[in-house]
Amino acid sequence: MNKFDAGAQLTPNGWIGYFRMVHHAQNKVLREGKHDILFATEAEALKAANAAFFKYLNSPITGISSMGGSKKSVAKNAAEKIFRKGGKVVAVERVRA
């Protein structure tokens, strides 16, 4: 059964932390490059795993750059999609109060 999870596991060299998302069947072990991060205690490993898990959950799903550039260009493209059906395009400028 796939579910969200975070935990710690004892290895011969120390404790490792891991977390799992619903859409991935395998645990994601906390690593620095190619090497697992080893912790001295289970509590440290669990704390780091929970922090990484919550960082993942609270991260934005899509960034502005993946949507096509700056906020201004993304908004412009969205507005153009609305008015492409023959409507009149009027340039509007926002004045700060």
Side-chain angles (χ1 to χ4, degrees), residues 18-76:
Y18 65 88
F19 66 95
R20 179 175 58 241
M21 290 81 70
V22 170
H23 54 283
H24 294 294
Q26 297 178 340
N27 293 337
K28 180 173 174 73
V29 176
L30 303 180
R31 295 176 175 245
E32 281 185 19
K34 295 181 181 181
H35 303 286
D36 296 345
I37 300 173
L38 297 174
F39 299 93
T41 65
E42 180 181 13
E44 291 175 1
L46 187 56
K47 184 177 178 181
N50 284 328
F53 175 65
F54 289 128
K55 182 179 178 182
Y56 168 78
L57 284 180
N58 292 326
S59 65
I61 294 173
T62 58
I64 292 296
S65 61
S66 67
M67 294 171 63
S70 68
K71 283 185 179 181
K72 185 176 180 178
S73 66
V74 170
K76 182 179 177 184

